[in-house]
Amino acid sequence: MAEQGVAEENVPMSSAQARQLLVDRIRSVGYAGTDAVEQAMRKVERHVFVPAVSIAEAYADDVVITKRDRDGAVSSSASMPSLMALMLDQLDIRPGMKVLEVGTGTGYNAALLATVVGDHGAVTSIDIDEKVVSGARVVLDNNGFAHVRTVAADGAIGQPDGAPYDRIIATVGAWDIPRSWYSQLADGGKLVVPLRWRGQSWSVGFDYLDGQLRSYSAVSCGFVPMIGQEDGERTEIISSDGFVQLVVDADQAITSESLVGVLDQEGVERWSKATIGGGDSFDGIWLRMSATDPGCCRLSAAPEAIQQGLCRPVIAHRDPALADATSVAYLTVRPRGSGPGGPQFELGAIGHGPSGDDLAQRLCAAISAWDLDRTAIPTVVAGPTGSHSGERGSGMRIEKTSTWLELFF
């Protein structure tokens, strides 16, 4: 009997069983929160869109890489199903709507969108890579989604033929919000976009009204960057050996020229008394800093820098930091015993340079403010470059090429 039981356990799941189990898991963490999104994910077969992987891999809650560029960097992929469900929840799509998707990928997300909007809705999916579009086209046609329109086009230009759209969703990372998206979105519509600023990336849900976007949700995420879009993110080296860099935006006067070697100067440690467990997220600190401090950026350190003791970031390649023309401070931790969930760590900052102590204290102040309400998310207002927000108060303004952002609590 034991041998029979083992044999039964090793029988592979069918694609249908694996799909239902995946959706059950996604629902258990609070995503696919609407009946329409849940039923679409239960119905649409993900494995036909990623035929190069096994059924188990197709229905794992993980990214499936489908294309790399000549340097080996990922240029196209099938996103984590839970993240897709979250973004579809943000989009609030309904039957009969017209939707523009920027970033066709495998075509799976377009199929989900088409299932939700139904026969009286319309989905247009665009991608700058013609091979990606043609590959998705074949799978869509062969699986009952011939009515989804696919177009090889630059996402920054959008697709004016079919506008205005009730919803626009980008499934590629965007540093900027193209002016075309403003003009192609219906007044009262919604935009969901994985948007980058100050070295971080958030899937932001925006309402569009009277020519401006106003956020109603934001969730930390990561996406393959949009190809063809002008990218205003810069990488500035700050260590003499080149192993430590800052990722900053075009509107920030933070450069390698005045910062190289700053980490060789004696560091100053400041501690916040706020603690986290090993699995706790601290992305909210970073988001708060971007809404309150003009020096907010990202520190990225190579393994060699950590091994040599040059710096002690929480996460080597993506650590929240503050910088000015001569100094830098970054987030760090130290052990603080154990709690109900396991080891605990106190959050703090290490500053280097003439104003390193001031920057470290500002970073600790942001940690303390976050610790009072770890779920607080700033409102993000956006509009085309040259327009005015109309908001009152002292929101942090971030200037991009085609758009500006204002963040405030």
Side-chain angles (χ1 to χ4, degrees):
M1 292 297 292
E3 290 182 357
Q4 183 180 358
V6 171
E8 288 175 354
E9 288 177 3
N10 290 333
V11 173
M13 266 193 255
S14 68
S15 61
Q17 290 173 318
R19 185 166 62 257
Q20 301 312 314
L21 182 60
L22 170 64
V23 179
D24 290 343
R25 289 171 178 165
I26 291 172
R27 289 283 298 119
S28 71
V29 295
Y31 302 148
T34 67
D35 183 67
V37 172
E38 178 185 353
Q39 294 310 312
M41 297 196 80
R42 292 193 184 280
K43 179 179 180 181
V44 178
E45 298 178 317
R46 188 178 190 239
H47 69 278
V48 301
F49 292 93
V50 286
V53 303
S54 68
I55 293 296
E57 292 172 302
Y59 291 106
D61 191 20
D62 203 356
V63 175
V64 176
I65 297 170
T66 56
K67 188 175 181 180
R68 295 182 182 271
D69 62 22
R70 293 179 181 178
D71 298 323
V74 177
S75 59
S76 189
S77 65
S79 300
M80 287 180 61
S82 59
L83 179 55
M84 298 175 74
L86 180 154
M87 293 178 69
L88 291 174
D89 287 343
Q90 285 182 301
L91 195 61
D92 188 26
I93 44 176
R94 301 173 189 177
M97 285 186 167
K98 289 199 301 182
V99 182
L100 174 65
E101 177 190 42
V102 178
T104 303
T106 64
Y108 173 60
N109 196 62
L112 293 173
L113 291 167
T115 302
V116 175
V117 302
D119 294 339
H120 298 292
V123 174
T124 298
S125 182
I126 64 175
D127 199 292
I128 198 170
D129 191 324
E130 293 185 6
K131 291 184 178 180
V132 167
V133 173
S134 61
R137 180 74 270 159
V138 171
V139 183
L140 289 166
D141 286 344
N142 291 340
N143 289 277
F145 297 99
H147 55 295
V148 172
R149 183 169 67 146
T150 56
V151 182
D154 186 346
I157 298 174
Q159 186 60 31
D161 178 16
Y165 300 95
D166 301 301
R167 302 286 189 267
I168 296 178
I169 182 170
T171 57
V172 288
W175 179 80
D176 203 354
I177 300 176
R179 298 182 78 93
S180 63
W181 296 3
Y182 289 96
S183 62
Q184 292 173 25
L185 186 58
D187 199 45
K190 295 181 185 292
L191 166 69
V192 172
V193 54
L195 189 61
R196 300 198 323 274
W197 69 88
R198 302 308 191 236
Q200 58 194 312
S201 176
W202 293 80
S203 175
V204 184
F206 287 105
D207 283 315
Y208 182 61
L209 190 65
D210 297 331
Q212 287 189 357
L213 297 163
R214 189 182 184 91
S215 69
Y216 54 84
S217 68
V219 182
S220 181
C221 69
F223 272 85
V224 175
M226 184 188 301
I227 299 172
Q229 183 183 61
E230 181 181 353
D231 198 326
E233 228 173 36
R234 305 191 321 272
T235 300
E236 302 290 345
I237 295 171
I238 65 168
S239 63
S240 303
D241 52 20
F243 289 150
V244 186
Q245 305 171 336
L246 294 180
V247 178
V248 302
D249 284 327
D251 65 337
Q252 293 179 289
I254 301 170
T255 65
S256 298
E257 184 177 358
S258 59
L259 284 172
V260 169
V262 68
L263 296 178
D264 296 329
Q265 301 178 43
E266 186 175 358
V268 178
E269 296 186 13
R270 296 294 178 183
W271 298 97
S272 68
K273 298 184 180 180
T275 59
I276 58 171
D280 292 342
S281 171
F282 53 82
D283 286 334
I285 300 170
W286 201 346
L287 182 59
R288 175 174 287 276
M289 285 164 50
S290 73
T292 57
D293 200 303
C296 180
C297 56
R298 182 176 94 224
L299 181 139
S300 179
E304 293 88 341
I306 310 297
Q307 294 163 7
Q308 295 171 12
L310 192 60
C311 57
R312 304 194 333 257
V314 183
I315 298 179
H317 66 282
R318 55 178 305 271
D319 204 55
L322 294 177
D324 59 22
T326 63
S327 307
V328 66
Y330 60 89
L331 188 71
T332 192
V333 292
R334 62 182 178 184
R336 272 294 177 259
S338 296
Q344 296 291 299
F345 303 88
E346 183 180 3
L347 293 163
I350 301 177
H352 296 264
S355 54
D357 189 20
D358 175 62
L359 292 174
Q361 292 189 59
R362 281 157 52 184
L363 205 161
C364 281
I367 297 170
S368 298
W370 164 81
D371 194 37
L372 292 174
D373 184 357
R374 298 190 178 191
T375 63
I377 294 176
T379 297
V380 184
V381 176
T385 300
S387 64
H388 299 285
S389 70
E391 295 287 340
R392 296 179 180 178
S394 55
M396 183 61 60
R397 190 173 177 101
I398 298 174
E399 298 288 349
K400 295 177 176 284
T401 303
S402 299
T403 196
W404 49 260
L405 306 178
E406 280 193 3
L407 292 85
F408 52 88
F409 283 96

